[in-house]
Amino acid sequence: MSERFVKAIKADEIAPGGMINVELEGREIVVCNIDGSFYAIERRCGHMNAPLEKGTLDGKVITCAMHSAQFDAVTGEALSGPVPKDFHGEIPPPRMGQFLMTVGSLMAHIKTNSIRTYATKVTSGIVWVDIQA
Ligand code: FES
């Protein structure tokens, strides 16, 4: 299968440690800047489809903002499933706590899948992404 690189974004629009969502020919892709190198990964979380650019990028680890599943931004590998939110010592009201326990037990049965990555290249300050299927 041949390559098909399409223009994604200017390299200087993503600071190191940053992520930006781009839509390339109908595909939702997040471009990540990891220490000046650029990587592209499917936008939707492998757990329940949350947009990954709303999470955080620490080194090559993306943490989803929704339930904190983690992914390797370079390989797309799912590193962990969802984890309960840290309430920073706060105790949620009883009914809220019960609701969160129920949601947590339901989520425990939802598999977290690894997600697709795309090859990238940078030429003349432009990040290109190979969207060939
Ligand atoms: S949607 Fe991403 S961790 Fe649940």
Side-chain angles (χ1 to χ4, degrees):
M1 199 169 294
S2 61
E3 301 170 337
R4 192 154 69 88
F5 282 92
V6 297
K7 183 178 176 179
I9 193 166
K10 290 182 181 174
D12 63 6
E13 291 181 74
I14 314 175
M19 299 187 282
I20 291 183
N21 171 48
V22 294
E23 186 168 329
L24 304 175
E25 298 188 10
R27 298 166 199 251
E28 293 180 297
I29 294 171
V30 172
V31 179
C32 307
N33 180 341
I34 302 175
D35 297 327
S37 295
F38 295 89
Y39 298 88
I41 189 166
E42 198 80 48
R43 182 185 189 208
R44 295 296 170 174
C45 177
H47 178 233
M48 290 175 69
N49 290 337
L52 287 176
E53 82 280 3
K54 303 294 186 191
T56 60
L57 177 64
D58 182 10
K60 64 177 191 170
V61 177
I62 297 174
T63 301
C64 179
M66 185 80 84
H67 313 113
S68 304
Q70 294 187 312
F71 301 90
D72 185 315
V74 176
T75 67
E77 179 187 0
L79 302 174
S80 73
V83 296
K85 287 290 184 198
D86 179 358
F87 292 101
H88 306 286
E90 297 286 328
I91 298 173
R95 290 180 63 115
M96 175 63 90
Q98 188 175 22
F99 169 76
L100 293 173
M101 294 279 288
T102 301
V103 170
S105 68
L106 289 172
M107 279 200 317
H109 301 285
I110 299 171
K111 185 176 182 221
T112 300
N113 296 298
S114 295
I115 45 183
R116 180 178 177 185
T117 57
Y118 299 84
T120 63
K121 66 180 180 181
V122 179
T123 57
S124 303
I126 303 293
V127 179
W128 299 76
V129 175
D130 179 7
I131 62 165
Q132 191 65 39

